[in-house]
Amino acid sequence: MKTVFNIVLVLCAAALIYICYSSIMGPINFEKAKKEREQAIIARLIDIRKAQQEYRSLHHGMYTEHFDTLIDFVKNQKLPFVMKVGQLTDKQLEDGLTEKKAMAIINKAQKTGKYDEVKKWGLENFKRDTMWVAVMDTVYPKGFNPDSMKYIPHGNGAIFEMNVKNDTAKSGAPVFLFEVKAPYETYLGGLDKQEIINLKDLNEKLGRYSGLMVGSIDNPNNGAGNWE
């Protein structure tokens, strides 16, 4: 009888130790897994932000709300790249010369064949040539796959929620905003459900989005991520 009691006591002690261990390690393991998943999502949100910023530079400041359009842009479009040779001196700047004026003088000389004004301003070695380079070669590292941009890592095929806002301010100035979101329930699937509930409850109380996002169509933030 005493042996049985001792066995039961040992089992109870082991169960108690396990419960204590789980209560301590559960949140730690959850936070570790959450951090690992979010690193992959943040990297992809940054890739999307880069694409949107380059897209707007060629589309009058507007963003696109369609991933297919954005992916096609990354795959097939080119960006202007200015090759610069020579710099304006302090004296030239003080005399009112700007890069725009300098190039106007040089372009005029090339058309007319008269380089007196170029020599007068000391622009013999001043050049600005525009080259067009592929978005893929300029913005992203070798091997980047643009087709993967729209998918949320650890989201089992789920796609980021992307929205844009094209509006006009009271002053009449155009307002172009974008946002891309990935909610907790999409990329934290398979982890402790109670921890996810606690996390969402905390964010709700703090008035924060429950997940990761970049940009905002409600509060202009210059495309910042909510992790930054």
Side-chain angles (χ1 to χ4, degrees):
M1 193 67 165
K2 186 176 180 180
T3 302
V4 174
F5 177 77
N6 289 338
I7 292 174
V8 172
L9 190 62
V10 170
L11 291 174
C12 289
L16 185 61
I17 292 172
Y18 175 78
I19 291 171
C20 292
Y21 176 82
S22 297
S23 65
I24 296 172
M25 294 305 298
I28 293 175
N29 291 334
F30 174 82
E31 189 60 32
K32 180 181 178 182
K34 172 178 171 289
K35 185 176 181 180
E36 289 175 351
R37 295 187 183 191
E38 289 190 335
Q39 285 177 339
I41 294 166
I42 288 172
R44 192 153 295 175
L45 284 172
I46 291 174
D47 287 335
I48 295 171
R49 178 170 62 189
K50 289 178 182 177
Q52 283 281 25
Q53 290 173 337
E54 297 300 345
Y55 179 91
R56 75 174 302 204
S57 71
L58 298 183
H59 293 84
H60 310 289
M62 298 179 68
Y63 300 104
T64 177
E65 62 181 331
H66 303 294
F67 268 111
D68 289 344
T69 300
L70 194 63
I71 291 170
D72 179 75
F73 171 79
V74 172
K75 282 182 175 180
N76 301 307
Q77 292 302 309
K78 295 183 178 182
L79 300 171
F81 178 76
V82 180
M83 296 287 291
K84 295 185 177 183
V85 177
Q87 297 291 332
L88 295 178
T89 64
D90 291 340
K91 178 66 167 59
Q92 289 171 322
L93 293 171
E94 289 171 4
D95 291 341
L97 193 63
T98 63
E99 291 208 354
K100 185 176 181 180
K101 289 180 180 179
M103 286 310 302
I105 292 170
I106 293 170
N107 290 335
K108 181 180 178 181
Q110 291 174 340
K111 289 180 180 179
T112 62
K114 298 179 180 179
Y115 286 82
D116 293 346
E117 197 171 3
V118 172
K119 294 178 181 178
K120 173 185 173 182
W121 284 98
L123 296 172
E124 294 92 333
N125 297 315
F126 188 87
K127 295 181 181 180
R128 295 293 184 269
D129 292 323
T130 300
M131 299 174 58
W132 289 85
V133 293
V135 175
M136 285 281 287
D137 296 337
T138 310
V139 181
Y140 299 100
K142 186 176 181 180
F144 176 74
N145 178 16
D147 289 316
S148 67
M149 249 193 329
K150 63 182 180 180
Y151 297 109
I152 300 175
H154 305 283
N156 294 317
I159 295 174
F160 285 101
E161 177 187 341
M162 185 161 68
N163 299 294
V164 303
K165 183 177 183 180
N166 300 319
D167 205 350
T168 304
K170 292 181 180 180
S171 63
V175 176
F176 302 129
L177 305 170
F178 85 100
E179 66 180 19
V180 186
K181 297 179 176 180
Y184 286 140
E185 56 263 29
T186 299
Y187 66 83
L188 294 181
L191 300 183
D192 190 291
K193 292 182 179 180
Q194 188 58 52
E195 290 291 344
I196 297 173
I197 292 173
N198 294 344
L199 192 59
K200 291 176 66 176
D201 183 59
L202 175 61
N203 278 286
E204 185 176 340
K205 290 177 180 177
L206 295 174
R208 300 187 307 203
Y209 174 66
S210 290
L212 287 170
M213 66 180 291
V214 64
S216 174
I217 61 173
D218 298 315
N219 301 299
N221 60 8
N222 200 31
N226 64 346
W227 66 90
E228 295 177 311

